[in-house]
């Protein structure tokens, strides 16, 4: 189906929850006159059927009065629409306020009855052969549809979060004012193929009811085009690509038509003539001249981030009937080759353009109310790029075209698939509820629609047809047959667990935990979720945001419980009271390793150290074993982000405020990197690029808590192959170490410039794991490392100089952070933030070149921060650290503006 989406922004701010737009007026969608245009319904009016009790025939008439209905944006779920209209006079993300939404007033629960979505649209004066289509992109959970008083589709036709449908409404519309009404039915993700949330965060009160991907009014001629597809075959030497090009043509008329489809693909002309019988649907192959396919010599090859550029080509074709344009179809695509093999141990290895690579990614979560915010999504992709990871996994909650376009442009690989723990996997579980024939039809339509959406995007490298369980045989066959019927050429993965299907074979994945706190050394073991094979989802659980975000999301009582009572349940850890509702393993480790918290600020500060250290170790362990005997081939950190403010599983929090976990991941995922191995005490150099690096130098210093150097070594003339890790030095046994000591690493290029700098704080008392008592989410600890001596560090001193310049739509602040030689101690985990405006609000989103740094007396670094320009005067750099007081420095504004 042709995919042309008009973006509609919901929110003004990027940092807060999408803001309400109370009082926004409703306007009809004006439809363009030309054939081949797609006009997204920009605004709806919505109301509960318990209050608007007329039938669809009346509500879908253009003169219907919608007094007291809510105007909402075109992709709003019911809950998103109510938030947009400020129906709830409190922050639903603060404390446990969300509970109050379940039954907000005496009228009872708002979300157990269907809701009406109504929109007007204005058609131009009709040309003689023009057709009008109503195009839906998935509705949760299902809907009846009316146009101008006529029911045009039933809930059985419009069911499921993902199927796309074109409904020919030509006979019921006319020039001028028209109206469409959807009666959207509530759903339970345990009973319908919609979207569920499990233990990620609370279930939305409305179960995401609504046309969440939008609805379009399409103008076409007698022959409509859809599903443009370019399937590239790239030669092994990358010197030539053959493009198989197709588009689907549908004759909407009651008479046969001769159709000519012509246009360009990668600037090459393509053309095909075809005759369509009445109502016929045909996949039309497009040829270039006399050749059956388009051939590109020396194509611009699309590479994942860090391995090369990400060029995109364009396809644009027009169907002509009787000399007049009837419809258009466009798409972008990239030229690349994706392969997937199994290692000797049975783990999946991805190979892009002939180059094996380590998949390093995170699990994606949209806003829990599925609010559509293009600016926020772009900001999140900037974070992914800044983090240095190369992959996003989507377990359900599959996004629209914009998400994949951003992935394409930024070189971010995507591994989408169906979700766990609800209707999508009910039939796969022992004793689970079998699917009905209607479920099978919805699932097949979902798979076909997603295949058409994903197949042209070079960022997409496979599809998980199962998550925590492989689908049973009938479903597995249906999924794979449907994917192949849609021209799918990428790997089909049976599940995110170590299971297989007859059609897709072994998954090559493991999902053995952990999901809760474990020490950094865990990742260097040879069991369970440690760094070998392909971990489809894994992390050490709790991730604590920075202090002001904790205060923003938790009530006063919850804040006190967070640092005082490790056994207390936290709504923002798990609202469904699951295993993860308490942070006991994390809190116990924090107190044992760093000392019992003395207050909320102390708890948060210690959590930043722990999160930085633990997340860095997870990614670094997989780095170290890229080419090992039992190699690491992929790791998906669980998770990349959050659907709401959370105390668990994220690299950046819902407010887009990077904290310790973010900067630990960013450090570990540097393109060329130096790191310490907890198992062997070796120093490892890592190269995630394709280019060999020659003449590198490594510098290693081991320091006591007082800064005294107990060991120092330089390694010269290091040559490092692309996509490889290499041990460059083994640390010897060192006498006279303080209970907490530091390892400072630096990797310098042949040009003398620092490539990577990395600092560890280590304990002479090691963490010990009780492996036999492991379960699916945790390996217990019998002995904790002792870092309590860090509390005795003297206060360090620092010097900060900052300047800011405008560069286009961004401001760029440059900071020189120095620890003078006279400082009494190391400055540990120096964190920088940008504040501006009269209220000193954080500038977010922000991408720093580096952050959360540890520096010794006499050391200095130059850092840069990029963030959206807002025209507010007075940029302030705020610096705080483990053993330094917080201070603010006004950045000097440099002359001139760069563009």
């Amino acid at each position: 189906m042709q995919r042309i989406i008009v973006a509609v922004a919901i929110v003004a701010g990027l940092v807060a929850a999408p803001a309400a737009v109370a009082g926004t007026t409703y306007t009809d969608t004006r439809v363009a006159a030309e054939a081949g245009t797609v006009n997204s319904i920009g605004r709806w009016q919505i109301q509960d059927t318990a209050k608007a009790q007329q039938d669809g025939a009346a509500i879908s008439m253009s003169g219907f009065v919608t007094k007291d209905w809510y105007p909402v944006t075109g992709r709003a779920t019911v809950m998103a629409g109510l938030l947009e209209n400020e129906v709830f006079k409190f922050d639903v993300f603060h404390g446990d306020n969300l509970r109050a939404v379940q039954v907000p007033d005496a009228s009872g629960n708002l979300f157990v009855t269907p809701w009406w979505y109504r929109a007007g649209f204005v058609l131009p004066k009709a040309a003689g052969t023009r057709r009008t289509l109503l195009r839906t992109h998935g509705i949760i959970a299902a809907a009846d549809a009316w146009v101008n008083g006529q029911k045009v589709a039933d809930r059985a036709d419009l069911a499921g979060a993902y199927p796309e449908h074109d409904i020919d409404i030509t006979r019921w519309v006319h020039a001028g004012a028209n109206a469409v009404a959807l009666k959207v039915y509530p759903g339970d993700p345990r009973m319908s193929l919609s979207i569920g949330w499990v233990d990620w965060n609370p279930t939305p009160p409305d179960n995401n009811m609504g046309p969440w991907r939008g609805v379009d009014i399409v103008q076409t001629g007698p022959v409509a085009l859809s599903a443009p597809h370019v399937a590239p075959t790239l030669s092994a030497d990358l010197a030539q690509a053959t493009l198989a090009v197709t588009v689907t043509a549908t004759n909407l008329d009651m008479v046969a038509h001769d159709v000519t489809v012509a246009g360009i693909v990668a600037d090459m002309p393509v053309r095909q003539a075809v005759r369509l019988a009445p109502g016929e649907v045909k996949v039309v192959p497009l040829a270039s001249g006399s050749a059956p396919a388009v051939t590109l010599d020396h194509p611009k090859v699309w590479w994942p981030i860090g391995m090369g550029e990400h060029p995109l080509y364009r396809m644009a074709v027009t169907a002509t009937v009787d000399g007049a344009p009837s419809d258009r179809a466009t798409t972008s695509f990239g030229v690349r080759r994706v392969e997937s093999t199994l290692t000797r141990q049975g783990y999946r290895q991805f190979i892009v353009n002939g180059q094996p690579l380590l998949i390093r990614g995170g699990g994606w979560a949209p806003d829990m109310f599925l609010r559509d915010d293009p600016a926020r999504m772009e900001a999140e992709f900037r974070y992914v790029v800044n983090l240095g990871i190369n992959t996003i996994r989507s377990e359900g909650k599959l996004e629209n075209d914009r998400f994949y376009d951003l992935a394409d442009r930024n070189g971010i690989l995507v591994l989408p698939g169906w979700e766990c723990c609800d209707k999508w996997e009910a039939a796969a579980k022992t004793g689970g509820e079998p699917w009905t024939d209607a479920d099978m039809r919805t699932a097949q339509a979902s798979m076909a629609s997603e295949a058409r959406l994903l197949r042209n995007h070079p960022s997409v490298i496979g599809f998980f047809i199962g998550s925590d369980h492989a689908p049973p045989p009938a479903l597995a066959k249906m999924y794979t047959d449907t994917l192949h019927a849609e021209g799918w050429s990428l790997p089909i993965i049976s599940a995110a667990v170590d299971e297989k299907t007859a059609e897709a074979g072994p998954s090559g994945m493991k999902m053995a935990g952990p999901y809760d706190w474990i020490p950094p050394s865990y990742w260097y073991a040879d069991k369970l979720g440690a760094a070998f094979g392909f971990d489809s989802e894994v992390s050490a659980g709790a991730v604590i945001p920075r202090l002001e975000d904790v205060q923003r999301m938790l009530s006063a009582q919850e804040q006190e419980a967070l640092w005082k009572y490790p056994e207390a349940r936290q709504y923002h850890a798990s609202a469904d009271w699951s295993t993860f509702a308490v942070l006991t393993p994390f809190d116990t480790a924090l107190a044992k390793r760093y000392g019992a918290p003395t207050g909320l600020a102390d708890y948060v500060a210690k959590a930043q150290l722990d999160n930085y250290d633990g997340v860095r170790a997870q990614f670094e362990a997989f780095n170290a074993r890229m080419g090992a005997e039992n190699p690491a081939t992929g790791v998906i950190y669980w998770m990349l982000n959050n659907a709401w403010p959370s105390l668990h599983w994220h690299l950046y929090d819902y407010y887009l405020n990077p904290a310790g976990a973010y900067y630990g991941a960013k450090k570990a995922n540097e393109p060329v990197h130096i790191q310490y191995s907890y198992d062997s005490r070796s120093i490892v150099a890592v190269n995630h690029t394709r280019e060999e690096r020659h003449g590198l130098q490594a510098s290693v210093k081991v320091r006591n808590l007082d800064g005294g150097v107990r060991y120092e070594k330089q390694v010269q003339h290091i040559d490092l192959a692309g996509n490889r890790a290499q041990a460059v030095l083994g640390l010897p046994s060192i006498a006279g170490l303080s209970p907490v000591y530091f390892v400072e690493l630096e990797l310098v290029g042949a040009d003398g410039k620092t490539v990577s700098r990395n600092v560890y704080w280590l304990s002479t008392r090691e963490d010990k794991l009780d492996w036999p008592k492991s379960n699916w989410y945790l390996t217990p600890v019998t002995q904790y490392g002792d870092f309590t001596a860090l509390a005795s560090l003297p206060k360090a001193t620092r010097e900060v100089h900052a300047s800011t310049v405008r560069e286009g739509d961004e401001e760029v602040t440059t900071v020189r952070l120095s620890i003078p030689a006279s400082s009494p101690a190391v400055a540990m985990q120096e964190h920088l933030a940008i504040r501006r405006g009269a209220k000193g609000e954080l500038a977010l989103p922000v991408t720093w070149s580096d952050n959360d740094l540890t520096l010794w007396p006499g050391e200095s670094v130059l850092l840069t921060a990029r963030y959206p320009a807002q025209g507010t005067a007075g940029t302030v750099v705020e610096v705080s650290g483990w053993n330094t007081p917080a201070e603010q420095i006004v950045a000097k504004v440099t002359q001139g503006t760069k563009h």
Side-chain angles (χ1 to χ4, degrees):
M1 192 166 291
Q2 187 177 358
R3 302 278 302 179
I4 304 175
I5 307 291
V6 178
V8 181
I10 286 181
V11 305
L14 292 177
V15 184
V21 195
T24 303
T25 57
Y26 170 84
T27 54
D28 287 353
T29 298
R30 301 196 71 85
V31 176
E34 298 81 11
T37 61
V38 178
N39 303 268
S40 293
I41 291 177
R43 296 198 67 76
W44 298 96
Q45 291 172 300
I46 68 171
Q47 186 54 272
D48 189 350
T49 57
K51 295 182 179 179
Q53 297 183 356
Q54 298 90 337
D55 63 13
I59 290 174
S60 65
M61 296 301 290
S62 58
F64 183 79
V65 178
T66 54
K67 185 177 183 295
D68 297 327
W69 285 43
Y70 301 107
V72 304
T73 47
R75 297 183 185 178
T77 63
V78 171
M79 186 66 190
L82 296 181
L83 291 173
E84 189 177 341
N85 283 271
E86 297 182 342
V87 170
F88 310 109
K89 304 303 180 184
F90 49 80
D91 179 2
V92 297
F93 281 172
H94 179 74
D96 64 353
N97 285 348
L98 191 63
R99 295 182 191 276
V101 178
Q102 298 290 353
V103 184
D105 55 38
S107 65
N109 196 316
L110 286 172
F111 309 114
V112 297
T113 53
W115 275 68
W116 286 111
Y117 277 70
R118 184 190 183 281
F121 59 97
V122 180
L123 289 177
K125 185 177 180 180
T129 58
R130 187 174 304 137
R131 316 288 295 197
T132 301
L133 309 179
L134 181 71
R135 176 171 294 164
T136 63
H137 296 275
I139 296 174
I140 301 173
D144 302 323
W146 282 265
V147 173
N148 292 343
Q150 175 66 45
K151 189 174 184 180
V152 299
D154 186 79
R155 61 190 295 186
D157 306 315
L158 302 181
Y162 300 105
E164 294 193 343
H165 297 286
D166 276 355
I167 305 165
D168 190 344
I169 57 173
T170 307
R171 75 186 86 170
W172 299 297
V173 298
H174 48 260
N178 299 265
V180 56
L182 301 177
K183 186 179 184 180
V184 179
Y185 290 87
D188 182 335
R190 295 168 298 180
M191 305 298 293
S192 61
L193 294 171
S194 57
I195 286 177
W197 294 92
V198 202
D199 50 15
W200 293 8
N201 53 264
T203 297
D206 66 340
N207 278 318
N208 297 128
M209 177 173 30
W212 70 294
R213 278 181 166 179
V215 176
D216 302 328
I217 306 296
V218 180
Q219 295 284 277
T220 180
V223 172
L225 296 181
S226 63
H229 184 204
V230 181
T233 300
L234 183 60
S235 63
D237 61 2
L238 312 185
Q240 190 177 77
T242 302
L243 311 179
V245 184
T246 62
V247 67
T248 298
T250 301
N251 186 357
L252 301 170
D253 237 342
M254 300 298 291
V255 297
H257 283 291
D258 292 314
V259 187
T260 299
V261 182
I264 58 167
V265 174
D267 295 324
M268 302 281 286
V270 292
R271 184 181 183 89
Q272 186 63 267
V274 63
R275 183 171 180 81
L276 295 176
E280 184 177 7
V281 179
K282 181 177 289 187
V283 176
V284 180
L286 301 178
S288 179
S290 59
V294 175
T295 300
L296 296 180
D297 292 321
H298 307 293
K300 299 174 183 177
V301 176
W302 188 97
W303 287 96
I305 189 169
M307 298 180 69
E309 299 300 315
H310 334 296
L312 297 173
Y313 288 99
R314 191 76 177 157
M315 170 186 176
V317 295
T318 299
T320 302
V321 177
D322 296 332
S326 180
D327 202 5
R328 304 180 181 89
T330 63
T331 190
S332 60
F333 64 95
V335 173
R336 56 90 177 94
R337 186 173 74 251
V338 175
E339 300 164 278
S340 179
T341 61
L342 296 181
T343 67
R344 179 171 55 85
Q345 298 80 7
Y347 292 106
R348 189 170 295 272
Q349 171 75 69
F350 280 97
I351 302 163
V352 178
N353 301 329
Q355 297 286 328
L357 76 162
L358 175 65
I359 296 295
R360 297 166 287 119
W364 174 260
D367 171 80
M368 70 178 287
F369 304 123
L370 304 182
R371 288 173 288 191
D372 183 51
D373 184 352
R376 182 183 175 97
M377 187 177 283
E378 289 197 21
E380 296 198 60
F381 268 90
R382 287 197 296 274
Y383 275 4
V384 171
V385 170
N386 185 248
L387 278 164
I389 59 178
N390 59 19
T391 304
I392 293 173
R393 179 188 166 203
S394 296
E395 187 207 358
K397 295 104 179 133
L398 302 174
E399 292 283 0
N400 57 40
D401 241 345
R402 187 190 310 114
F403 177 90
Y404 303 102
D405 287 341
L406 285 167
D408 292 346
R409 297 204 302 268
N410 288 285
I412 305 301
L413 303 174
V414 182
L415 279 169
W418 303 128
E419 64 191 38
C420 81
C421 312
D422 54 24
K423 184 70 172 185
W424 287 102
E425 283 191 349
K429 297 180 181 179
T430 302
E433 181 185 351
W435 281 15
T436 65
D437 290 344
D439 293 329
M440 288 292 285
R441 288 192 297 270
T442 299
Q444 183 173 17
S446 299
M447 189 73 266
S449 294
E450 288 307 295
R452 292 191 292 267
L453 169 65
L454 298 171
R455 63 190 183 183
N456 289 322
H457 290 283
S459 56
V460 177
I461 59 171
F463 195 92
F464 289 94
I465 58 173
S467 180
D468 293 18
H469 298 274
L475 271 65
K477 185 176 189 308
M478 180 272 288
Y479 285 141
T480 52
D481 288 351
T482 303
L483 283 164
H484 290 145
E486 296 295 340
W488 189 264
S489 60
L490 296 168
I492 301 171
I493 307 168
S494 294
V497 295
D498 183 15
E499 294 182 8
K500 64 183 179 180
T501 59
E503 291 75 18
S507 70
M509 299 282 156
K510 66 175 183 176
M511 189 192 290
Y515 296 91
D516 218 329
W517 192 88
I518 42 85
S521 59
Y522 173 99
W523 304 108
Y524 287 87
D526 59 358
K527 304 173 183 68
L528 299 177
F532 61 90
F534 198 123
D535 252 320
S536 64
E537 52 180 67
V538 68
S539 78
V543 178
I544 308 302
R546 296 198 63 83
L547 181 59
E548 59 195 291
D549 292 343
V550 170
Q551 293 170 329
R552 182 177 183 178
M553 66 194 275
L554 301 185
S555 68
Q557 294 83 358
E558 290 169 327
Q559 292 175 40
E560 182 180 26
L562 184 63
W563 70 271
K564 272 190 178 180
Y565 308 117
E567 302 293 337
R569 294 184 180 274
Q570 286 282 352
Y571 190 61
H572 285 262
S574 177
D576 62 2
W577 307 133
S578 75
T579 299
F580 306 107
V582 296
L583 304 183
T584 311
F586 177 84
D587 289 349
T588 300
L590 207 64
K592 294 281 189 181
R593 298 172 100 236
Y594 290 98
T598 58
L600 180 63
D602 184 54
Y603 175 91
V604 171
K606 288 170 177 172
Q608 300 314 310
L609 293 183
D610 185 273
N611 288 159
Y612 182 102
D613 202 22
V615 173
R616 175 179 60 179
Q618 177 175 336
F619 281 107
E620 285 185 340
F622 280 82
N623 288 346
R625 294 179 172 178
M626 281 195 287
E629 178 66 20
N630 185 12
T633 59
V635 57
I636 301 297
Y637 182 88
W638 202 250
M639 299 179 64
L640 172 67
N641 58 347
N642 288 141
W644 88 314
S646 176
L647 299 169
H648 268 308
W649 304 319
H650 61 262
L651 295 180
Y652 55 87
D653 74 357
Y654 185 84
Y655 301 113
L656 304 187
N657 189 8
Y662 181 101
Y663 292 113
K666 176 175 169 58
K667 177 58 62 179
N669 287 291
E670 293 173 326
V672 181
H673 178 62
I674 189 168
Q675 63 186 55
Y676 169 83
S677 296
Y678 282 82
D679 58 339
S680 62
R681 291 174 55 81
S682 60
I683 308 304
V684 175
V686 180
N687 183 5
H688 286 302
T689 72
R690 285 189 297 135
E691 293 77 25
E692 293 185 7
R693 300 299 175 108
H694 299 283
L696 298 171
Q697 301 178 46
S699 171
V700 181
K701 291 181 181 178
V702 180
R703 298 177 183 262
N704 271 346
L705 200 61
D706 62 5
V709 177
R710 299 297 303 168
Y711 174 84
E712 187 171 5
K713 181 76 173 181
Q714 286 193 335
V715 182
Q716 309 283 341
H717 312 302
I718 300 169
D719 295 328
L720 191 56
N723 276 320
R724 290 292 183 274
Q726 175 181 322
V728 299
L729 176 69
L731 285 185
S733 177
I734 302 170
L737 291 175
S738 54
V740 179
Y741 62 98
F742 297 93
V743 175
E744 181 182 13
L745 309 176
E746 186 177 24
L747 191 64
V748 177
D751 58 2
K753 295 181 180 179
T754 297
V755 175
S756 173
R757 183 181 178 278
N758 204 355
V759 177
Y760 299 79
W761 49 98
L762 302 172
S763 172
T764 54
R765 177 183 169 90
E766 67 179 13
D767 296 289
K768 292 183 179 179
L769 290 147
D770 192 354
W771 289 101
K773 293 184 180 178
S774 300
N775 56 35
W776 66 272
Y777 67 92
L778 177 68
T779 296
V781 179
T782 58
Q783 176 177 290
Y784 292 93
D786 184 1
F787 296 91
T788 55
L790 290 172
S792 66
L793 277 173
K795 293 294 183 185
T797 57
R798 67 165 84 88
E799 295 175 355
V800 184
H801 300 278
S803 62
T804 296
V805 64
R806 175 77 174 262
E807 293 187 3
D809 294 332
E810 289 186 322
E811 287 183 278
V812 181
T813 295
T814 302
V815 181
R816 170 67 67 179
L817 174 63
S818 305
I819 308 303
S822 59
S823 174
V826 61
M828 188 174 175
Q829 289 301 94
E830 292 287 282
H831 179 80
L832 293 87
I834 303 294
R835 295 189 180 275
R836 58 188 175 187
K839 297 182 180 179
E841 295 178 345
L842 284 171
L844 297 174
V846 61
T847 54
W848 284 92
S849 57
D850 201 357
N851 212 328
D852 286 15
L853 301 135
T854 297
L855 299 170
W856 275 269
E859 292 186 333
S860 177
V861 292
L862 189 66
L863 308 168
T864 58
R866 292 182 172 271
Y867 47 95
Q870 291 186 351
T872 55
T875 297
V876 172
V877 177
E878 182 178 78
V879 190
S880 58
W882 173 257
N883 62 320
T884 52
E887 62 177 315
Q888 295 186 339
I889 298 91
V890 177
K892 178 183 176 182
V893 179
T894 60
Q895 296 296 317
T897 300
K898 297 179 182 179
H899 294 280

